Amino acid sequence: MIYVNKNDCVELEANNQFLRIALNGSISSWICEGKERIYTSVLADITKRFRGGTPLCFPYFGGAKVEGMPPHGTYQDSFASLEKVEFLNGELIALFNWNCEDDFDVKMKLTIGKDNTVTVEHSVKNCSIARSMFGIGVHPYFTVNSEHALAANGSQTINVTPPYDERHKIEDGKIILGEIGLDISGYTNISVWKISHEQSTKIDDMKDDDYKKFVCISPFTSDVTVNPQESLNFKFKMKIRN
């Protein structure tokens, strides 16, 4: 097990896998079986909200409902502090916590498994005395090698041809994208997003040809109601399919 807490990121290495976690809790690199599995733009500054990774979208997923607020929530602009790292039963476990000035206590548990897996679990606790509502999602940029991609959502085949921006109900909690499989629980939907070359030329924080290098498959759920002091859990496991 290797664990390095740097000024601009946390680096974890175990079970022949490497993770780099940015200051906002997003995984900016996942190297497994010698390949980079997560796209991060070479123009990215991982000390703030950046293009790529696996950013947490909270307390809403998608466009902001209030003018002037950023897309996909405010937690991408917040600091996720590392609370604990341990090696337990052959797995590396790292615990992170966001200290934001709102009514929620949001934590993340990262587990580097023994079988080419990384599990990302978020827990959300309502710390107020009233019922609250939120939306939550994770927006991972998975690496691909071509302009087009195929994904499977249970029995559904998704032909991802850019520009593609569609939402789908999760069928059975299992998503496949090439060599990568996702096991999802707690979330109800996925957003599949792949931009075109024309769209990429209008984005300042990535190179024009990088639209070929990633597909976003984002588990999310909206309009979640949580009671006072209640906690809810959301999990997705990334694994390499043999």
Side-chain angles (χ1 to χ4, degrees):
M1 179 186 77
I2 299 176
Y3 149 57
V4 181
N5 194 353
K6 298 184 175 181
N7 291 331
D8 61 348
C9 66
V10 172
E11 294 183 349
L12 304 171
E13 189 170 349
N15 298 325
N16 297 313
Q17 300 181 78
F18 170 83
L19 291 184
R20 179 181 294 114
I21 300 95
L23 295 182
N24 65 2
S26 174
I27 300 171
S28 64
S29 176
W30 172 35
I31 298 176
C32 185
E33 294 191 338
K35 297 180 182 179
E36 180 59 74
R37 307 294 180 168
I38 297 294
Y39 165 85
T40 294
S41 170
V42 296
L43 303 179
D45 178 359
I46 65 170
T47 64
K48 56 185 180 181
R49 180 186 291 246
F50 63 92
R51 179 72 55 186
T54 64
L56 171 65
C57 305
F58 189 86
Y60 53 87
F61 182 89
K65 297 180 180 179
V66 178
E67 185 176 355
M69 297 298 286
H72 293 310
T74 57
Y75 273 51
Q76 293 183 52
D77 304 302
S78 303
F79 176 67
S81 60
L82 178 65
E83 302 291 328
K84 184 179 182 180
V85 177
E86 62 181 344
F87 199 70
L88 185 65
N89 298 325
E91 297 182 327
L92 187 150
I93 299 171
L95 303 178
F96 294 81
N97 183 49
W98 281 266
N99 295 304
C100 297
E101 295 181 358
D102 57 22
D103 292 331
F104 299 104
D105 180 21
V106 181
K107 300 182 184 296
M108 178 175 69
K109 177 182 176 182
L110 291 181
T111 303
I112 302 179
K114 294 179 286 187
D115 49 353
N116 290 336
T117 65
V118 172
T119 303
V120 183
E121 301 176 70
H122 290 98
S123 66
V124 179
K125 181 179 180 180
N126 178 11
C127 298
S128 74
I129 60 173
R131 298 179 73 190
S132 296
M133 181 175 289
F134 65 87
I136 186 171
V138 182
H139 193 34
Y141 288 66
F142 293 111
T143 56
V144 294
N145 297 318
S146 67
E147 186 174 348
H148 306 276
L150 286 176
N153 172 26
S155 62
Q156 178 190 21
T157 299
I158 304 172
N159 186 0
V160 187
T161 300
Y164 192 96
D165 187 5
E166 299 287 343
R167 296 182 174 190
H168 304 271
K169 191 80 171 176
I170 296 174
E171 287 197 356
D172 62 359
K174 298 185 182 299
I175 310 294
I176 295 173
L177 176 68
E179 293 182 335
I180 295 176
L182 300 177
D183 293 339
I184 301 170
S185 63
Y187 299 100
T188 56
N189 303 278
I190 55 168
S191 172
V192 182
W193 184 64
K194 186 168 179 62
I195 62 173
S196 66
H197 180 260
E198 180 181 0
Q199 289 172 314
S200 70
T201 61
K202 300 176 182 178
I203 298 177
D204 294 334
D205 57 355
M206 61 178 285
K207 292 187 174 182
D208 291 352
D209 287 337
D210 277 12
Y211 75 100
K212 301 177 182 178
K213 296 182 179 181
F214 68 85
V215 172
C216 293
I217 297 184
S218 308
F220 75 96
T221 191
S222 300
D223 300 328
V224 180
T225 299
V226 58
N227 294 317
Q229 304 304 312
E230 181 184 10
S231 294
L232 298 177
N233 298 310
F234 305 86
K235 179 170 71 173
F236 78 100
K237 177 190 287 187
M238 308 182 292
K239 58 185 178 182
I240 304 304
R241 301 170 57 240
N242 296 321

